Amino acid sequence: MENTMERLVRAALEAREKAYVPYSNFPIGAALLTKDGQIFSGCNIENASYGLTNCAERTAIFKAISAGHHELKMMVVVADTARPIPPCGACRQVIFEFGEDITVVMRNLQGDSVQYQSRELLPAAFNRRDLD
Ligand code: THU
């Protein structure tokens, strides 16, 4: 029986296989766990207009949000990198929107991993309270 972390890693690896990366050839997979126990995964999706690329992390988050799951607990990100793959700044902001205490696990294909809480990845983050 797989535990939650193993399920997330497997889902992220499977999503990575679906990455649409004709320009960078740099596939990334992400998988997240919602507070109510569901898993959503995503891959990076590139575009001939490069700036329209959507990162794996945001694909997974947008799938969860559009399915009605707003509270996220954990995310795993996987790529073929020397060190565990760190999410880009834009993704950090989007992760933070849906939880300041989300565990973000960065991994490479060798299984090296490090984890942070979303608040640690974006100190002094702009957030909804700044709009009050
Ligand atoms: N990428 C992600 O999917 N997530 C990140 O956090 C970093 C970058 C993608 C975007 C692009 O398709 C490729 O990696 C190279 O930048």
Side-chain angles (χ1 to χ4, degrees):
M1 185 73 179
E2 275 183 319
N3 66 31
T4 301
M5 179 63 79
E6 287 165 351
R7 286 174 62 210
L8 284 167
V9 169
R10 185 164 55 82
L13 287 168
E14 285 173 6
R16 181 175 171 274
E17 297 294 320
K18 308 270 191 333
Y20 177 75
V21 289
Y23 307 105
S24 72
N25 288 309
F26 189 70
I28 302 187
L32 62 81
L33 178 71
T34 64
K35 283 238 166 91
D36 55 7
Q38 288 212 43
I39 289 178
F40 291 87
S41 63
C43 58
N44 45 339
I45 304 169
E46 300 186 340
N47 193 279
S49 176
Y50 297 165
L52 299 183
T53 291
N54 203 63
C55 292
E57 298 91 321
R58 280 179 287 144
T59 302
I61 290 175
F62 296 157
K63 282 169 68 178
I65 301 308
S66 57
H69 301 269
H70 290 201
E71 289 190 277
L72 312 184
K73 202 167 159 186
M74 186 181 287
M75 172 177 274
V76 172
V77 191
V78 183
D80 187 8
T81 41
R83 62 170 178 163
I85 174 86
C88 79
C91 288
R92 292 175 193 219
Q93 182 74 40
V94 174
I95 292 168
F96 193 86
E97 179 72 23
F98 298 105
E100 301 184 10
D101 234 343
I102 299 170
T103 303
V104 179
V105 180
M106 313 172 186
R107 262 179 91 99
N108 62 16
L109 296 188
Q110 286 71 50
D112 303 319
S113 78
V114 287
Q115 69 179 56
Y116 294 88
Q117 296 311 110
S118 44
R119 70 174 79 249
E120 298 176 291
L121 293 177
L122 206 58
F126 174 72
N127 66 74
R128 68 178 80 102
R129 294 181 294 279
D130 292 307
L131 299 173
D132 290 342

